Protein backbone atom coordinates (compact mmCIF):
# COMPACT_ATOMS: atom_id res chain seq x y z
CA UNK A 1 0.00 0.00 0.00
CA UNK A 2 1.20 3.49 -0.79
CA UNK A 3 0.44 7.03 0.36
CA UNK A 4 -2.21 7.38 -2.34
CA UNK A 5 -4.28 4.49 -0.96
CA UNK A 6 -3.76 5.64 2.65
CA UNK A 7 -5.11 9.05 1.70
CA UNK A 8 -8.07 7.55 -0.13
CA UNK A 9 -9.07 5.51 2.94
CA UNK A 10 -8.50 8.55 5.18
CA UNK A 11 -10.92 10.54 2.98
CA UNK A 12 -13.43 7.68 3.10
CA UNK A 13 -13.41 7.74 6.92
CA UNK A 14 -13.43 11.54 7.09
CA UNK A 15 -16.44 11.69 4.74
CA UNK A 16 -18.28 9.23 7.00
CA UNK A 17 -17.50 11.51 9.96
CA UNK A 18 -18.62 14.68 8.15
CA UNK A 19 -21.78 13.04 6.82
CA UNK A 20 -22.51 11.32 10.18
CA UNK A 21 -22.82 7.98 8.43
CA UNK A 22 -21.47 4.64 9.62
CA UNK A 23 -19.42 2.40 7.34
CA UNK A 24 -18.29 -1.21 7.29
CA UNK A 25 -14.88 -1.64 8.94
CA UNK A 26 -12.10 -1.23 6.39
CA UNK A 27 -10.51 -4.61 7.19
CA UNK A 28 -13.70 -6.35 6.05
CA UNK A 29 -13.19 -5.83 2.29
CA UNK A 30 -11.07 -2.76 1.58
CA UNK A 31 -7.80 -3.70 3.31
CA UNK A 32 -8.12 -7.14 4.97
CA UNK A 33 -4.37 -7.34 5.66
CA UNK A 34 -4.01 -3.88 7.16
CA UNK A 35 -1.09 -3.79 9.63
CA UNK A 36 -0.93 -1.61 12.73
CA UNK A 37 1.90 0.44 11.18
CA UNK A 38 -0.09 1.09 8.01
CA UNK A 39 -3.18 1.91 10.09
CA UNK A 40 -1.18 4.69 11.81
CA UNK A 41 -0.18 5.95 8.33
CA UNK A 42 -3.89 6.20 7.43
CA UNK A 43 -4.46 8.05 10.72
CA UNK A 44 -1.61 10.42 9.75
CA UNK A 45 -3.44 11.21 6.52
CA UNK A 46 -6.60 11.99 8.52
CA UNK A 47 -4.56 14.34 10.71
CA UNK A 48 -3.11 16.06 7.60
CA UNK A 49 -6.57 16.45 6.05
CA UNK A 50 -7.96 17.98 9.26
CA UNK A 51 -5.00 20.38 9.46
CA UNK A 52 -5.58 21.31 5.78
CA UNK A 53 -9.21 22.07 6.72
CA UNK A 54 -7.87 24.62 9.23
CA UNK A 55 -8.26 22.67 12.47
CA UNK A 56 -5.43 22.49 14.99
CA UNK A 57 -4.29 19.72 17.31
CA UNK A 58 -5.16 20.09 21.01
CA UNK A 59 -3.16 17.00 21.85
CA UNK A 60 -2.86 13.29 21.28
CA UNK A 61 -5.06 10.91 23.27
CA UNK A 62 -4.63 7.37 24.46
CA UNK A 63 -7.37 4.76 24.13
CA UNK A 64 -8.01 1.21 25.25
CA UNK A 65 -5.81 1.67 28.31
CA UNK A 66 -8.15 0.02 30.85
CA UNK A 67 -9.53 -3.52 31.18
CA UNK A 68 -13.04 -2.02 31.10
CA UNK A 69 -12.38 -0.57 27.65
CA UNK A 70 -10.31 -3.44 26.24
CA UNK A 71 -12.96 -6.00 27.22
CA UNK A 72 -15.80 -3.84 25.95
CA UNK A 73 -14.20 -3.28 22.54
CA UNK A 74 -12.56 -6.69 22.30
CA UNK A 75 -9.19 -5.12 21.48
CA UNK A 76 -6.22 -5.80 23.72
CA UNK A 77 -3.70 -3.10 23.03
CA UNK A 78 -3.59 0.61 23.85
CA UNK A 79 -3.76 2.95 20.86
CA UNK A 80 -3.46 6.68 20.29
CA UNK A 81 -5.26 9.25 18.19
CA UNK A 82 -5.57 13.05 18.04
CA UNK A 83 -8.01 15.59 19.44
CA UNK A 84 -8.59 18.78 17.41
CA UNK A 85 -9.74 22.24 18.50
CA UNK A 86 -13.20 21.84 16.93
CA UNK A 87 -13.80 18.75 19.09
CA UNK A 88 -13.65 20.63 22.40
CA UNK A 89 -17.06 21.28 23.96
CA UNK A 90 -17.66 23.76 26.81
CA UNK A 91 -18.26 22.08 30.16
CA UNK A 92 -21.95 22.23 31.10
CA UNK A 93 -23.13 22.87 27.55
CA UNK A 94 -25.48 20.87 25.33
CA UNK A 95 -24.33 18.61 22.50
CA UNK A 96 -26.66 17.72 19.67
CA UNK A 97 -27.23 14.07 18.77
CA UNK A 98 -27.49 15.15 15.13
CA UNK A 99 -23.74 15.96 15.17
CA UNK A 100 -22.88 12.29 15.74
CA UNK A 101 -23.41 8.82 14.30
CA UNK A 102 -23.90 6.82 17.55
CA UNK A 103 -21.98 8.59 20.35
CA UNK A 104 -20.80 7.02 23.59
CA UNK A 105 -19.26 8.73 26.61
CA UNK A 106 -16.43 7.70 28.92
CA UNK A 107 -14.79 9.29 31.98
CA UNK A 108 -11.09 10.10 31.78
CA UNK A 109 -8.27 12.06 33.38
CA UNK A 110 -6.55 14.64 31.15
CA UNK A 111 -2.97 15.87 31.61
CA UNK A 112 -1.70 19.32 30.64
CA UNK A 113 2.03 19.24 30.05
CA UNK A 114 4.33 22.01 31.26
CA UNK A 115 7.37 20.58 29.50
CA UNK A 116 8.06 18.54 26.39
CA UNK A 117 8.41 14.78 26.89
CA UNK A 118 10.42 12.73 24.46
CA UNK A 119 10.72 8.92 24.47
CA UNK A 120 12.09 6.31 24.59
CA UNK A 121 12.21 5.01 28.14
CA UNK A 122 9.84 7.60 29.67
CA UNK A 123 8.35 6.57 33.03
CA UNK A 124 5.19 7.65 34.82
CA UNK A 125 7.32 9.56 37.36
CA UNK A 126 8.94 11.57 34.56
CA UNK A 127 5.49 12.38 33.18
CA UNK A 128 4.29 13.62 36.59
CA UNK A 129 7.37 15.87 36.86
CA UNK A 130 6.59 17.38 33.43
CA UNK A 131 2.84 17.85 34.07
CA UNK A 132 1.39 21.24 34.99
CA UNK A 133 -2.20 20.20 35.65
CA UNK A 134 -4.66 17.34 35.62
CA UNK A 135 -8.31 17.85 34.67
CA UNK A 136 -11.42 15.65 34.83
CA UNK A 137 -12.71 14.93 31.34
CA UNK A 138 -15.52 13.25 29.44
CA UNK A 139 -14.68 11.92 26.02
CA UNK A 140 -17.43 11.38 23.45
CA UNK A 141 -16.35 8.68 21.06
CA UNK A 142 -18.16 8.04 17.78
CA UNK A 143 -16.60 5.22 15.80
CA UNK A 144 -17.24 5.60 12.13
CA UNK A 145 -17.76 1.84 11.95
CA UNK A 146 -21.15 0.10 12.19
CA UNK A 147 -21.94 -0.83 15.80
CA UNK A 148 -18.39 0.11 16.90
CA UNK A 149 -17.39 -3.14 15.24
CA UNK A 150 -13.65 -2.96 14.56
CA UNK A 151 -10.27 -4.63 14.89
CA UNK A 152 -7.14 -2.93 16.23
CA UNK A 153 -5.96 -1.57 12.82
CA UNK A 154 -9.51 -0.37 11.96
CA UNK A 155 -9.83 1.75 15.08
CA UNK A 156 -6.31 3.17 14.73
CA UNK A 157 -7.05 4.24 11.14
CA UNK A 158 -10.29 5.86 12.40
CA UNK A 159 -8.36 8.23 14.70
CA UNK A 160 -9.29 6.10 17.71
CA UNK A 161 -13.02 6.95 17.39
CA UNK A 162 -12.30 10.55 18.49
CA UNK A 163 -15.25 12.91 18.28
CA UNK A 164 -15.63 15.41 21.17
CA UNK A 165 -14.14 16.19 24.56
CA UNK A 166 -15.57 18.03 27.56
CA UNK A 167 -12.97 19.27 30.03
CA UNK A 168 -13.75 20.21 33.64
CA UNK A 169 -13.14 23.76 34.84
CA UNK A 170 -10.87 22.88 37.73
CA UNK A 171 -7.14 22.48 37.26
CA UNK A 172 -5.26 20.50 39.90
CA UNK A 173 -1.54 19.99 40.33
CA UNK A 174 -0.78 16.27 39.92
CA UNK A 175 1.30 16.20 43.12
CA UNK A 176 -1.77 17.25 45.16
CA UNK A 177 -3.45 13.92 44.40
CA UNK A 178 -2.79 10.23 44.15
CA UNK A 179 -4.16 9.80 40.67
CA UNK A 180 -4.29 6.01 40.86
CA UNK A 181 -6.65 6.31 43.84
CA UNK A 182 -9.04 8.77 42.22
CA UNK A 183 -12.49 7.18 42.47
CA UNK A 184 -14.59 7.90 39.40
CA UNK A 185 -18.31 7.62 38.71
CA UNK A 186 -20.04 8.15 35.39
CA UNK A 187 -23.72 9.04 35.79
CA UNK A 188 -26.55 9.67 33.39
CA UNK A 189 -29.72 11.34 34.66
CA UNK A 190 -28.47 10.84 38.21
CA UNK A 191 -27.96 7.10 37.85
CA UNK A 192 -24.45 5.66 38.09
CA UNK A 193 -23.73 3.79 34.85
CA UNK A 194 -20.15 2.78 35.57
CA UNK A 195 -17.39 3.45 38.04
CA UNK A 196 -13.70 2.87 38.55
CA UNK A 197 -10.46 4.35 39.82
CA UNK A 198 -7.45 6.02 38.19
CA UNK A 199 -5.47 2.79 38.63
CA UNK A 200 -7.72 1.18 36.00
CA UNK A 201 -5.63 3.06 33.42
CA UNK A 202 -2.39 1.05 33.20
CA UNK A 203 -1.99 1.12 37.00
CA UNK A 204 -1.71 4.93 37.01
CA UNK A 205 -2.86 7.44 34.36
CA UNK A 206 0.68 8.89 34.17
CA UNK A 207 1.78 5.51 32.77
CA UNK A 208 -0.58 6.09 29.87
CA UNK A 209 1.13 9.38 28.98
CA UNK A 210 4.53 7.66 29.36
CA UNK A 211 3.45 4.89 26.98
CA UNK A 212 2.22 7.53 24.53
CA UNK A 213 5.58 9.34 24.61
CA UNK A 214 7.34 6.03 23.97
CA UNK A 215 4.97 5.11 21.11
CA UNK A 216 5.37 8.54 19.48
CA UNK A 217 9.14 8.24 19.67
CA UNK A 218 8.97 5.42 17.11
CA UNK A 219 7.69 8.01 14.64
CA UNK A 220 10.30 10.56 15.73
CA UNK A 221 7.67 12.65 17.53
CA UNK A 222 7.35 13.94 21.08
CA UNK A 223 4.75 15.33 23.46
CA UNK A 224 4.96 19.11 23.75
CA UNK A 225 4.30 21.64 26.52
CA UNK A 226 0.72 22.92 26.48
CA UNK A 227 -0.79 19.81 24.94
CA UNK A 228 -3.88 18.40 26.64
CA UNK A 229 -3.64 14.62 26.72
CA UNK A 230 -6.49 12.21 27.43
CA UNK A 231 -5.23 9.07 29.17
CA UNK A 232 -8.10 6.74 28.18
CA UNK A 233 -11.45 5.70 29.61
CA UNK A 234 -11.39 4.63 33.27
CA UNK A 235 -14.96 3.44 32.86
CA UNK A 236 -16.57 1.57 30.00
CA UNK A 237 -18.24 3.75 27.39
CA UNK A 238 -21.98 4.39 27.71
CA UNK A 239 -24.32 5.03 24.76
CA UNK A 240 -25.92 8.51 24.70
CA UNK A 241 -29.58 9.32 24.08
CA UNK A 242 -31.61 12.47 23.68
CA UNK A 243 -32.28 14.19 27.01
CA UNK A 244 -29.34 12.64 28.84
CA UNK A 245 -27.74 14.70 31.59
CA UNK A 246 -24.22 13.31 31.80
CA UNK A 247 -21.88 13.82 34.70
CA UNK A 248 -18.60 12.35 35.91
CA UNK A 249 -17.28 12.83 39.43
CA UNK A 250 -13.59 12.25 40.03
CA UNK A 251 -12.46 12.28 43.66
CA UNK A 252 -10.40 15.39 44.35
CA UNK A 253 -10.47 16.44 40.69
CA UNK A 254 -14.09 17.57 40.61
CA UNK A 255 -17.03 17.15 38.33
CA UNK A 256 -17.55 17.52 34.59
CA UNK A 257 -20.79 17.29 32.63
CA UNK A 258 -22.91 18.11 29.62
CA UNK A 259 -26.40 17.45 28.31
CA UNK A 260 -27.64 15.81 25.12
CA UNK A 261 -30.28 17.39 22.90
CA UNK A 262 -31.82 16.26 19.62
C1 LIG B 1 -11.84 3.45 20.72
C2 LIG B 1 -11.43 4.66 21.51
C3 LIG B 1 -10.97 4.29 22.88
C4 LIG B 1 -10.57 5.07 25.24
O1 LIG B 1 -10.56 5.99 26.05
O2 LIG B 1 -10.40 3.91 25.55
C5 LIG B 1 -10.84 5.42 23.82
C6 LIG B 1 -13.26 3.03 21.02
O3 LIG B 1 -13.52 2.51 22.10
O4 LIG B 1 -14.11 3.21 20.13
O5 LIG B 1 -10.95 6.58 23.51
MG1 LIG C 1 -11.24 7.77 25.32
Amino acid sequence: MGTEQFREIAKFLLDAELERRDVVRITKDKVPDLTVDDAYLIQEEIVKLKLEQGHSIVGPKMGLTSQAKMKQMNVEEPIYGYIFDNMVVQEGSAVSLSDFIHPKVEAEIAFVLGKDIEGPGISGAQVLAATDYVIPALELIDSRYENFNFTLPDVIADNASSSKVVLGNRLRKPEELELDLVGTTLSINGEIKDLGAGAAVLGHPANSVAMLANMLHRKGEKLTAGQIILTGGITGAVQLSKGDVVSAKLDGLGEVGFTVVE
Side-chain angles (χ1 to χ4, degrees):
M1 274 218 304
T3 313
E4 196 102 320
Q5 200 188 353
F6 295 145
R7 201 166 174 91
E8 196 183 300
I9 297 172
K11 278 191 182 139
F12 169 77
L13 291 169
L14 213 52
D15 282 349
E17 179 184 348
L18 290 173
E19 293 162 20
R20 292 127 176 76
R21 170 171 60 73
D22 58 10
V23 295
V24 174
R25 66 183 159 82
I26 54 177
T27 58
K28 188 100 192 284
D29 341 278
K30 278 186 185 293
V31 273
D33 302 324
L34 186 66
T35 63
V36 164
D37 285 348
D38 282 356
Y40 275 114
L41 292 175
I42 296 172
Q43 186 192 98
E44 257 178 52
E45 293 301 318
I46 290 190
V47 169
K48 279 189 211 153
L49 287 164
K50 284 183 185 280
L51 292 173
E52 281 167 22
Q53 289 165 1
H55 306 306
S56 58
I57 292 174
V58 170
K61 69 160 221 185
M62 284 292 273
L64 308 175
T65 48
S66 65
Q67 285 300 325
K69 283 290 309 183
M70 287 191 246
K71 284 215 181 83
Q72 187 176 39
M73 306 323 295
N74 206 16
V75 173
E76 297 193 343
E77 246 177 80
I79 58 174
Y80 64 85
Y82 289 88
I83 300 295
F84 287 81
D85 55 349
N86 62 326
M87 296 178 173
V88 179
V89 174
Q90 270 313 103
E91 130 61 38
S93 65
V95 300
S96 172
L97 266 192
S98 61
D99 288 340
F100 302 88
I101 304 166
H102 45 198
K104 295 184 187 183
V105 64
E106 51 197 20
E108 308 206 6
I109 295 174
F111 281 56
V112 185
L113 297 184
K115 296 193 191 91
D116 294 0
I117 307 178
E118 190 164 9
I122 295 296
S123 67
Q126 283 171 292
V127 169
L128 288 173
T131 301
D132 265 355
Y133 301 106
V134 284
I135 319 175
L138 286 167
E139 181 178 20
L140 288 87
I141 51 173
D142 198 24
S143 173
R144 269 51 71 172
Y145 302 120
E146 284 176 355
N147 301 317
F148 277 75
N149 186 330
F150 50 66
T151 65
L152 179 65
D154 287 303
V155 63
I156 291 168
D158 185 31
N159 192 24
S161 308
S162 302
S163 182
K164 302 271 184 226
V165 181
V166 189
L167 298 167
N169 290 327
R170 234 167 97 194
L171 306 173
R172 295 294 305 267
K173 292 269 175 202
E175 59 271 22
E176 290 169 5
L177 298 146
E178 294 200 64
L179 287 175
D180 51 342
L181 301 183
V182 168
T184 300
T185 57
L186 173 61
S187 301
I188 299 192
N189 301 326
E191 189 189 321
I192 294 179
K193 295 290 182 187
D194 204 354
L195 49 83
V201 173
L202 300 173
H204 191 296
N207 293 338
S208 174
V209 181
M211 182 183 257
L212 176 60
N214 296 329
M215 285 168 99
L216 287 177
H217 167 74
R218 292 187 221 141
K219 290 204 306 184
E221 288 174 21
K222 61 176 181 178
L223 298 171
T224 56
Q227 282 183 328
I228 301 175
I229 299 165
L230 295 177
T231 51
I234 295 169
T235 61
V238 179
Q239 184 97 39
L240 292 173
S241 309
K242 186 180 103 177
D244 282 350
V245 178
V246 183
S247 149
K249 279 189 195 154
L250 289 87
D251 237 354
L253 279 175
E255 217 171 322
V256 54
F258 66 94
T259 58
V260 182
V261 297
E262 194 151 2

PDB file of all heavy atoms in Angstrom, residues 64-73 200-202 233-234:
ATOM      1  N   LEU A  64      -8.107   2.641  24.918  1.00  0.00           N
ATOM      2  CA  LEU A  64      -8.010   1.210  25.253  1.00  0.00           C
ATOM      3  C   LEU A  64      -6.886   0.946  26.253  1.00  0.00           C
ATOM      4  O   LEU A  64      -6.076   0.031  26.074  1.00  0.00           O
ATOM      5  CB  LEU A  64      -7.856   0.388  23.971  1.00  0.00           C
ATOM      6  CG  LEU A  64      -8.921   0.698  22.898  1.00  0.00           C
ATOM      7  CD1 LEU A  64      -8.652  -0.057  21.615  1.00  0.00           C
ATOM      8  CD2 LEU A  64     -10.328   0.386  23.410  1.00  0.00           C
ATOM      9  N   THR A  65      -6.849   1.774  27.286  1.00  0.00           N
ATOM     10  CA  THR A  65      -5.810   1.667  28.312  1.00  0.00           C
ATOM     11  C   THR A  65      -6.319   0.996  29.582  1.00  0.00           C
ATOM     12  O   THR A  65      -5.553   0.796  30.517  1.00  0.00           O
ATOM     13  CB  THR A  65      -5.257   3.064  28.670  1.00  0.00           C
ATOM     14  OG1 THR A  65      -6.347   3.950  28.902  1.00  0.00           O
ATOM     15  CG2 THR A  65      -4.397   3.625  27.549  1.00  0.00           C
ATOM     16  N   SER A  66      -7.618   0.691  29.655  1.00  0.00           N
ATOM     17  CA  SER A  66      -8.149   0.019  30.852  1.00  0.00           C
ATOM     18  C   SER A  66      -8.778  -1.321  30.461  1.00  0.00           C
ATOM     19  O   SER A  66      -9.195  -1.502  29.316  1.00  0.00           O
ATOM     20  CB  SER A  66      -9.198   0.905  31.541  1.00  0.00           C
ATOM     21  OG  SER A  66     -10.329   1.075  30.704  1.00  0.00           O
ATOM     22  N   GLN A  67      -8.865  -2.221  31.422  1.00  0.00           N
ATOM     23  CA  GLN A  67      -9.525  -3.518  31.177  1.00  0.00           C
ATOM     24  C   GLN A  67     -10.977  -3.294  30.763  1.00  0.00           C
ATOM     25  O   GLN A  67     -11.491  -3.988  29.886  1.00  0.00           O
ATOM     26  CB  GLN A  67      -9.469  -4.393  32.439  1.00  0.00           C
ATOM     27  CG  GLN A  67      -8.108  -5.000  32.709  1.00  0.00           C
ATOM     28  CD  GLN A  67      -7.620  -5.898  31.577  1.00  0.00           C
ATOM     29  OE1 GLN A  67      -8.408  -6.594  30.935  1.00  0.00           O
ATOM     30  NE2 GLN A  67      -6.325  -5.865  31.295  1.00  0.00           N
ATOM     31  N   ALA A  68     -11.626  -2.298  31.408  1.00  0.00           N
ATOM     32  CA  ALA A  68     -13.035  -2.024  31.098  1.00  0.00           C
ATOM     33  C   ALA A  68     -13.198  -1.752  29.604  1.00  0.00           C
ATOM     34  O   ALA A  68     -14.094  -2.289  28.952  1.00  0.00           O
ATOM     35  CB  ALA A  68     -13.538  -0.827  31.912  1.00  0.00           C
ATOM     36  N   LYS A  69     -12.302  -0.925  29.065  1.00  0.00           N
ATOM     37  CA  LYS A  69     -12.384  -0.566  27.654  1.00  0.00           C
ATOM     38  C   LYS A  69     -11.936  -1.718  26.750  1.00  0.00           C
ATOM     39  O   LYS A  69     -12.544  -2.005  25.733  1.00  0.00           O
ATOM     40  CB  LYS A  69     -11.528   0.674  27.395  1.00  0.00           C
ATOM     41  CG  LYS A  69     -12.154   1.967  27.857  1.00  0.00           C
ATOM     42  CD  LYS A  69     -13.351   2.391  27.016  1.00  0.00           C
ATOM     43  CE  LYS A  69     -13.034   2.390  25.544  1.00  0.00           C
ATOM     44  NZ  LYS A  69     -14.157   2.872  24.722  1.00  0.00           N
ATOM     45  N   MET A  70     -10.830  -2.379  27.110  1.00  0.00           N
ATOM     46  CA  MET A  70     -10.310  -3.442  26.245  1.00  0.00           C
ATOM     47  C   MET A  70     -11.333  -4.567  26.121  1.00  0.00           C
ATOM     48  O   MET A  70     -11.570  -5.082  25.034  1.00  0.00           O
ATOM     49  CB  MET A  70      -8.974  -3.960  26.770  1.00  0.00           C
ATOM     50  CG  MET A  70      -7.839  -2.964  26.535  1.00  0.00           C
ATOM     51  SD  MET A  70      -6.205  -3.666  26.854  1.00  0.00           S
ATOM     52  CE  MET A  70      -5.693  -2.716  28.261  1.00  0.00           C
ATOM     53  N   LYS A  71     -11.954  -4.928  27.244  1.00  0.00           N
ATOM     54  CA  LYS A  71     -12.959  -5.995  27.221  1.00  0.00           C
ATOM     55  C   LYS A  71     -14.158  -5.573  26.390  1.00  0.00           C
ATOM     56  O   LYS A  71     -14.652  -6.327  25.573  1.00  0.00           O
ATOM     57  CB  LYS A  71     -13.413  -6.325  28.645  1.00  0.00           C
ATOM     58  CG  LYS A  71     -12.412  -7.147  29.417  1.00  0.00           C
ATOM     59  CD  LYS A  71     -13.136  -8.141  30.360  1.00  0.00           C
ATOM     60  CE  LYS A  71     -12.134  -8.949  31.160  1.00  0.00           C
ATOM     61  NZ  LYS A  71     -11.659  -8.214  32.357  1.00  0.00           N
ATOM     62  N   GLN A  72     -14.608  -4.319  26.630  1.00  0.00           N
ATOM     63  CA  GLN A  72     -15.805  -3.841  25.946  1.00  0.00           C
ATOM     64  C   GLN A  72     -15.612  -3.835  24.432  1.00  0.00           C
ATOM     65  O   GLN A  72     -16.508  -4.197  23.681  1.00  0.00           O
ATOM     66  CB  GLN A  72     -16.138  -2.420  26.445  1.00  0.00           C
ATOM     67  CG  GLN A  72     -17.449  -1.880  25.926  1.00  0.00           C
ATOM     68  CD  GLN A  72     -17.776  -0.512  26.531  1.00  0.00           C
ATOM     69  OE1 GLN A  72     -16.903   0.328  26.711  1.00  0.00           O
ATOM     70  NE2 GLN A  72     -19.040  -0.305  26.837  1.00  0.00           N
ATOM     71  N   MET A  73     -14.443  -3.428  23.973  1.00  0.00           N
ATOM     72  CA  MET A  73     -14.204  -3.279  22.537  1.00  0.00           C
ATOM     73  C   MET A  73     -13.536  -4.510  21.931  1.00  0.00           C
ATOM     74  O   MET A  73     -13.317  -4.562  20.730  1.00  0.00           O
ATOM     75  CB  MET A  73     -13.346  -2.038  22.242  1.00  0.00           C
ATOM     76  CG  MET A  73     -13.878  -0.731  22.816  1.00  0.00           C
ATOM     77  SD  MET A  73     -15.666  -0.525  22.799  1.00  0.00           S
ATOM     78  CE  MET A  73     -16.000  -0.488  21.045  1.00  0.00           C
ATOM     79  N   ALA A 200      -7.215   2.001  37.110  1.00  0.00           N
ATOM     80  CA  ALA A 200      -7.720   1.184  35.995  1.00  0.00           C
ATOM     81  C   ALA A 200      -6.931   1.461  34.723  1.00  0.00           C
ATOM     82  O   ALA A 200      -6.835   0.612  33.840  1.00  0.00           O
ATOM     83  CB  ALA A 200      -9.207   1.478  35.765  1.00  0.00           C
ATOM     84  N   VAL A 201      -6.384   2.665  34.617  1.00  0.00           N
ATOM     85  CA  VAL A 201      -5.625   3.061  33.424  1.00  0.00           C
ATOM     86  C   VAL A 201      -4.149   2.694  33.626  1.00  0.00           C
ATOM     87  O   VAL A 201      -3.379   3.445  34.239  1.00  0.00           O
ATOM     88  CB  VAL A 201      -5.811   4.568  33.151  1.00  0.00           C
ATOM     89  CG1 VAL A 201      -4.904   5.042  32.014  1.00  0.00           C
ATOM     90  CG2 VAL A 201      -7.274   4.855  32.810  1.00  0.00           C
ATOM     91  N   LEU A 202      -3.787   1.522  33.178  1.00  0.00           N
ATOM     92  CA  LEU A 202      -2.391   1.054  33.199  1.00  0.00           C
ATOM     93  C   LEU A 202      -1.732   1.195  34.573  1.00  0.00           C
ATOM     94  O   LEU A 202      -0.546   1.514  34.662  1.00  0.00           O
ATOM     95  CB  LEU A 202      -1.581   1.800  32.128  1.00  0.00           C
ATOM     96  CG  LEU A 202      -2.066   1.624  30.679  1.00  0.00           C
ATOM     97  CD1 LEU A 202      -1.297   2.534  29.729  1.00  0.00           C
ATOM     98  CD2 LEU A 202      -1.913   0.167  30.223  1.00  0.00           C
ATOM     99  N   GLY A 233     -10.279   5.905  28.752  1.00  0.00           N
ATOM    100  CA  GLY A 233     -11.448   5.699  29.610  1.00  0.00           C
ATOM    101  C   GLY A 233     -11.128   4.858  30.840  1.00  0.00           C
ATOM    102  O   GLY A 233     -10.591   3.764  30.720  1.00  0.00           O
ATOM    103  N   ILE A 234     -11.477   5.380  32.011  1.00  0.00           N
ATOM    104  CA  ILE A 234     -11.390   4.632  33.273  1.00  0.00           C
ATOM    105  C   ILE A 234     -12.578   3.681  33.329  1.00  0.00           C
ATOM    106  O   ILE A 234     -12.463   2.528  33.739  1.00  0.00           O
ATOM    107  CB  ILE A 234     -11.459   5.613  34.477  1.00  0.00           C
ATOM    108  CG1 ILE A 234     -10.243   6.526  34.501  1.00  0.00           C
ATOM    109  CG2 ILE A 234     -11.637   4.853  35.793  1.00  0.00           C
ATOM    110  CD1 ILE A 234     -10.363   7.687  35.478  1.00  0.00           C
TER     111      ILE A 234
END
